[in-house]
Amino acid sequence: GQQLNQSPQSMFIQEGEDVSMNCTSSSIFNTWLWYKQDPGEGPVLLIALYKAGELTSNGRLTAQFGITRKDSFLNISASIPSDVGIYFCAGQRTSGTYKYIFGTGTRLKVLA
Amino acid sequence: SAVISQKPSRDICQRGTSLTIQCQVDSQVTMMFWYRQQPGQSLTLIATANQGSEATYESGFVIDKFPISRPNLTFSTLTVSNMSPEDSSIYLCSVVGTGRNEQFFGPGTRLTVL
């Protein structure tokens, strides 16, 4: 199935560093969701974005809905070891269908 | 957000057999979905589970292989039929919350086919 491009694919960072990842597409999206998945568990919703340019925070996490509506960004500030996991973006192209396309994922590893 | 449970949490099955996965939600939800996550991969939508009618399948997925039931607004099952090792994946159910378009996932069922 179709997937969104996420970058970077994986990253190793030192504890305390800030992290940035993004999700891009050639198509326009109406809603962006960001998830974190820990090993052996289902994805957990972190942030939801509903309009172009929207900037939303959830603790140390900040996400933005790109103004072109074709991309989204997630930043994590002052990373800690429990930030380890796989981060997925998900975009909804058509309002009301509730169907999402998922990104390829960014695997984050934090070095203490 | 809704509390979603899945059974079994994991299973190891023999080639050619079938497994039915259950998804239970603690509140009534309109939209329920089934996803597959192959090893090391992202999530792919299998189908939308429709209450009281046949599921709506995505391209590449068919009812004979993945029959789905949705008898009410809190429960759904996905069967993986005539399994082969290529079916080894995590299968996840999800629901759309009562708020906006947020989607929440169950814990997943990890299936290994030998």
Side-chain angles (χ1 to χ4, degrees), chain B residues 7 10 17 34 41 44 51 58 65 87 95 108 110 113:
Chain B
K7 287 187 202 178
R10 59 177 61 229
T17 62
W34 286 97
Q41 301 296 313
T44 301
Q51 193 266 327
E58 297 300 306
K65 177 66 176 178
D87 294 319
V95 304
R110 184 180 296 271
V113 184

Side-chain angles (χ1 to χ4, degrees), chain A residues 22-42:
Chain A
N22 65 66
C23 193
T24 60
S25 172
S26 58
S27 302
I28 291 174
F29 287 84
N30 293 318
T31 302
W32 288 97
L33 305 178
W34 283 92
Y35 291 89
K36 177 177 184 274
Q37 186 175 30
D38 292 328
E41 299 184 14

